[in-house]
Amino acid sequence: MKTMKKLSSFLITILAIFLSLQHSTSSYSSFDNFLTCLQNHIPQSSSVIFTPTNPSFSSLLLNHTANRRYTTPTTPKPLAIITPQNPSHVQVAIICAKPYGIQIRIRSGGHDYEGVSYVSQVPFVVLDMFIFRSIEIDIANETAWVGAGATLGELYYSIANKSDVYAFPGGVCHTLGTGGHISGGGYGNLMRKYGLSVDNVIDANLVDVNGKILDRKSMGEDLFWAIRGGGAASFGVVLSWKIKLVPVPPKVTVFNVKKSLEQGATDVVYKWQSVANQLHEDLFIRVMPMVVNGTQEGTKTVLVSFIGQFLGQIDRLLPLVNESFPELGLQKSDCIEMPWVNSTLFWVFGPNQNPIEVLLTKLKPPTLFFKSRSDYVKEPIPKSGIESIWKLMIEGGDNVWMQWNPYGGKMHEISPSETPFPHRAGNLFLIQYYASWVKEDIDVGHHYMEFSKKFYAFMAQYVSKFPREAFLNYRDIDIGANPSGVTNMMVAKIYGSKYFKENFERLVKVKTMVDPDNFFKHEQSIPPSRHRLF
Ligand SMILES: Cc1cc2nc3c(=O)[nH]c(=O)nc-3n(C[C@H](O)[C@H](O)[C@H](O)COP(=O)(O)OP(=O)(O)OC[C@H]3O[C@@H](n4cnc5c(N)ncnc54)[C@H](O)[C@@H]3O)c2cc1C
Ligand SMILES: *[C@@H]1O[C@H](CO)[C@@H](O)[C@H](O)[C@H]1NC(C)=O
Ligand SMILES: *[C@@H]1O[C@H](CO)[C@@H](O)[C@H](O)[C@H]1NC(C)=O
Ligand SMILES: *[C@@H]1O[C@H](CO)[C@@H](O)[C@H](O)[C@H]1NC(C)=O
Ligand SMILES: *[C@@H]1O[C@H](CO)[C@@H](O)[C@H](O)[C@H]1NC(C)=O
Ligand SMILES: *[C@@H]1O[C@H](CO)[C@@H](O)[C@H](O)[C@H]1NC(C)=O
Ligand SMILES: *[C@@H]1O[C@H](CO)[C@@H](O)[C@H](O)[C@H]1NC(C)=O
């Protein structure tokens, strides 16, 4: 049995290498055939297909690219960027790409931490979905249809334009694309009350590998399950989502209480670990430790922000915090009441009063190189551990920070198999690690990448084990990844079990059913079961 498995895995590898060699030797003629096919089926194709000789190509590529690490001269560029203007363009792109072995990378907002939506090591094209940004809000039914290329900011703004007592549970950055964000889980400050974005999706339009447009009914519950947290890019191209709007009060309260180490931040963080997940579900308090300059010239220290959001007003919030988390020392003067939509800007920019039109601003070409990773914490980290964490962060230096996001509430009520996102009850909080730099300098980049590795290794003792869980939306290529043109099941099991735990198997089943030849693939995609091939 074992030998059989090994043999078939070996055969797959050989087959994949053979196929990828075939592609690289014949890629240019394949690509020409692909282009001709597109041009034959797309009227006015010059406004849809952009090859590197087009003067707009570079700006188009950079416009939805969040991480400067994937913009260097050595980063492989696509053979073309396709910007579909209607669903038929997406259908044509898939149908033309398949026979010529052209790899497609699907991009909506371009925030993928590892550039998976716009970089591949084998010849590829980018299907850039940013034009699909229509948003229809249906307040009477408490639902909305949102295009995959719409940003979270556009969605939040559109909801608020219709009503100040509805919201959508999603992430914090307004330039995220709903295409990638929702299909990867969608994690934000309403999660303790309403769960993740995927817990609030009720329908979707998707183009499958045969170029068919499916909705929830025609795709069936298995595929609909898979694209809500399993990463849709393994299964098809999302055109739009139908989402549930959730009620919020006309005014919410936000605060940002900062504590330095001298002010006892360590004790407060220690306490936070056991109370933040027990607090009233209307209350979400994120911990954000960051490296800052110390009081003495040239020294560094850690400053911890406790950033909170309460679905209610100050008079109800203060007694609640005083009772369950007095160590925070929250004062009335720390608190600001505002409509929910304003709070989405508070989370990005802090208390400066920005007009909500800022939500409509677009992602700018990236200025920051960054590396990010994730961990789940199930037992409180001892005080001595927290102190060692600060020390290590200080070694990392400027622009090293973490987010600790509390669990509890709705997150603990939803079964881990309800969606592919498995990290539910049993977690105290999710850590996001982050380090960024602006200098295009090999040594600086090397310092932060090595620091990220060292920090992650150090944290192993405090976080989930067997598997060490990770959050798909915080994509991390270093937890296991396949080469761009090959999908090895053994490797996929490594990253798959971390992102999806037991749900990985069901994702493989769905993949085998809907894309048995593995057309939709990337370095961390879901593979079809190999039994199908032999
Ligand atoms: C500044 C910043 C803040 C963030 N904050 C949060 C947060 O608060 N909460 C959170 O959960 N995450 C957060 N993230 C992570 C973010 O949710 C993911 O990077 C997400 O995948 C981004 O979606 P996108 O469409 O912008 O990205 P893209 O890079 O376009 O896509 C990401 C992935 O989804 C696939 N994909 C994109 N569009 C489609 C489609 N239409 N059909 C099928 N597959 C598609 C891509 O192929 C790729 O695999 C943040 C990221 C950044 C850079
Ligand atoms: C890139 O974005 C800028 C700013 O939003 C816009 O003016 C420009 O037209 C975009 N480039 C392309 C090629 O779409
Ligand atoms: C609510 O949705 C249903 C079904 O989609 C539709 O028939 C109905 O008109 C909608 N109600 C309102 C008030 O828009
Ligand atoms: C906001 O809504 C008003 C009318 O309800 C509409 O005229 C306006 O165009 C909307 N703004 C945006 C940006 O959608
Ligand atoms: C921190 O200190 C350095 C000098 O040690 C200085 O160059 C830098 O501007 C300071 N940063 C901030 C945010 O004050
Ligand atoms: C906090 O609670 C204590 C009693 O537990 C009370 O004495 C104190 O006045 C309260 N403070 C605030 C600000 O409500
Ligand atoms: C909320 O946003 C609106 C619209 O931009 C603005 O007029 C108002 O002052 C903001 N309110 C607060 C409390 O920030």
Side-chain angles (χ1 to χ4, degrees):
M1 191 55 202
K2 235 183 172 172
T3 346
M4 283 274 289
K5 266 195 177 162
K6 266 200 179 148
L7 183 65
S8 64
S9 143
F10 173 73
L11 286 174
I12 290 270
T13 312
I14 293 293
L15 185 70
I17 291 170
F18 176 66
L19 288 176
S20 70
L21 280 179
Q22 250 199 338
H23 287 176
S24 54
T25 49
S26 64
S27 71
Y28 287 95
S29 59
S30 298
F31 178 63
D32 287 342
N33 291 335
F34 166 69
L35 265 190
T36 309
C37 177
L38 284 184
Q39 282 155 353
N40 288 344
H41 292 94
I42 298 179
Q44 264 111 49
S45 62
S46 63
S47 63
V48 177
I49 307 164
F50 297 82
T51 55
T53 54
N54 189 303
S56 301
F57 180 84
S58 304
S59 122
L60 199 54
L61 185 60
L62 273 182
N63 265 4
H64 300 97
T65 290
N67 193 346
R68 201 170 148 199
R69 250 183 339 114
Y70 295 98
T71 65
T72 66
T74 55
T75 308
K77 303 289 183 286
L79 296 167
I81 303 170
I82 300 161
T83 62
Q85 294 170 355
N86 62 55
S88 78
H89 296 169
V90 178
Q91 296 174 289
V92 166
I94 292 170
I95 290 167
C96 291
K98 245 193 331 183
Y100 302 113
I102 300 291
Q103 190 173 106
I104 284 188
R105 293 300 173 111
I106 312 159
R107 179 162 79 169
S108 288
H111 288 71
D112 195 288
Y113 284 176
E114 303 281 7
V116 156
S117 55
Y118 54 90
V119 182
S120 174
Q121 304 295 326
V122 300
F124 72 109
V125 299
V126 170
L127 196 62
D128 202 329
M129 299 297 292
F130 68 92
I131 297 172
F132 280 69
R133 34 200 278 271
S134 81
I135 298 173
E136 291 163 38
I137 308 287
D138 182 348
I139 292 293
N141 274 327
E142 303 185 316
T143 60
W145 274 103
V146 53
T151 63
L152 282 186
E154 288 166 343
L155 174 60
Y156 297 163
Y157 183 90
S158 303
I159 296 172
N161 198 18
K162 287 276 163 66
S163 166
D164 62 358
V165 292
Y166 284 99
F168 179 68
V172 157
C173 171
H174 58 288
T175 51
L176 299 180
T178 65
H181 180 67
I182 296 182
S183 76
Y187 188 111
N189 45 45
L190 292 174
M191 58 174 271
R192 301 193 67 250
K193 175 92 170 183
Y194 295 116
L196 307 175
S197 298
V198 285
D199 301 322
N200 296 280
V201 172
I202 50 184
D203 205 339
N205 285 317
L206 176 94
V207 183
D208 75 0
V209 69
N210 302 312
K212 271 211 192 109
I213 299 177
L214 306 173
D215 65 2
R216 178 175 184 167
K217 199 155 169 241
S218 55
M219 79 178 78
E221 287 304 305
D222 280 323
L223 181 51
F224 184 61
W225 175 85
I227 60 173
R228 284 174 299 148
S234 297
F235 302 97
V237 180
V238 175
L239 300 175
S240 55
W241 305 101
K242 187 178 187 183
I243 58 175
K244 210 156 61 187
L245 303 178
V246 301
V248 288
K251 288 269 171 72
V252 305
T253 305
V254 292
F255 56 85
N256 182 350
V257 176
K258 294 181 185 172
K259 292 206 186 287
S260 64
L261 300 187
E262 294 74 26
Q263 289 166 323
T266 306
D267 288 343
V268 188
V269 169
Y270 178 73
K271 182 72 192 292
W272 174 91
Q273 298 182 93
S274 49
V275 298
N277 64 94
Q278 302 290 326
L279 293 170
H280 192 286
E281 61 181 18
D282 284 345
L283 182 54
F284 176 93
I285 304 178
R286 168 182 285 177
V287 162
M288 207 166 142
M290 65 197 317
V291 176
V292 297
N293 283 346
T295 42
Q296 291 200 339
E297 175 86 32
T299 62
K300 302 273 172 215
T301 183
V302 168
L303 181 69
V304 182
S305 294
F306 297 83
I307 313 173
Q309 171 162 309
F310 179 62
L311 298 176
Q313 288 178 263
I314 298 175
D315 56 347
R316 193 159 70 90
L317 170 64
L318 286 179
L320 207 70
V321 174
N322 188 28
E323 190 187 313
S324 42
F325 191 20
E327 295 81 356
L328 183 61
L330 184 69
Q331 304 293 315
K332 188 170 182 177
S333 57
D334 297 319
C335 300
I336 319 170
E337 293 177 349
M338 57 179 68
W340 170 77
V341 70
N342 299 58
S343 79
T344 65
L345 284 172
F346 174 86
W347 280 93
V348 181
F349 300 108
N352 340 342
Q353 300 226 338
N354 283 295
I356 59 169
E357 279 66 30
V358 170
L359 287 170
L360 305 175
T361 51
K362 306 247 181 295
L363 183 65
K364 303 219 163 56
T367 52
L368 294 181
F369 300 84
F370 70 85
K371 175 68 192 178
S372 193
R373 321 188 68 154
S374 62
D375 258 322
Y376 284 88
V377 178
K378 296 171 193 280
E379 301 286 341
I381 303 173
K383 268 187 205 171
S384 59
I386 299 176
E387 277 159 359
S388 317
I389 291 173
W390 304 154
K391 259 200 211 129
L392 200 52
M393 285 179 76
I394 291 168
E395 262 182 47
D398 286 330
N399 302 309
V400 165
W401 51 256
M402 285 198 268
Q403 276 176 4
W404 293 12
N405 296 288
Y407 260 63
K410 188 84 177 170
M411 289 303 285
H412 287 186
E413 290 162 21
I414 299 175
S415 144
S417 59
E418 182 75 22
T419 70
F421 177 95
H423 323 283
R424 302 282 186 173
N427 290 294
L428 297 179
F429 56 98
L430 160 66
I431 297 181
Q432 176 176 206
Y433 307 92
Y434 183 91
S436 68
W437 60 102
V438 290
K439 212 167 164 199
E440 192 163 6
D441 178 304
I442 291 178
D443 292 336
V444 174
H446 184 75
H447 163 78
Y448 281 106
M449 294 303 283
E450 286 303 309
F451 167 71
S452 157
K453 266 189 211 152
K454 184 173 168 188
F455 197 13
Y456 191 71
F458 172 77
M459 290 300 288
Q461 58 190 313
Y462 301 122
V463 302
S464 64
K465 297 174 180 68
F466 314 115
R468 185 169 181 178
E469 298 170 35
F471 177 34
L472 180 63
N473 263 355
Y474 296 165
R475 190 188 302 288
D476 178 3
I477 224 84
D478 299 316
I479 65 167
N482 274 304
S484 298
V486 181
T487 313
N488 180 299
M489 177 64 87
M490 292 304 164
V491 177
K493 270 187 185 156
I494 297 171
Y495 57 77
S497 65
K498 294 175 184 177
Y499 286 142
F500 309 114
K501 298 177 76 178
E502 279 81 18
N503 294 327
F504 177 67
E505 269 175 48
R506 184 169 172 198
L507 287 168
V508 170
K509 271 191 199 142
V510 178
K511 173 75 173 182
T512 310
M513 201 164 68
V514 304
D515 183 18
D517 298 326
N518 201 20
F519 173 72
F520 291 112
K521 63 172 164 291
H522 57 74
E523 292 78 3
Q524 290 189 330
S525 60
I526 304 291
S529 160
R530 68 171 75 95
H531 301 299
R532 176 74 192 228
L533 277 173
F534 290 94

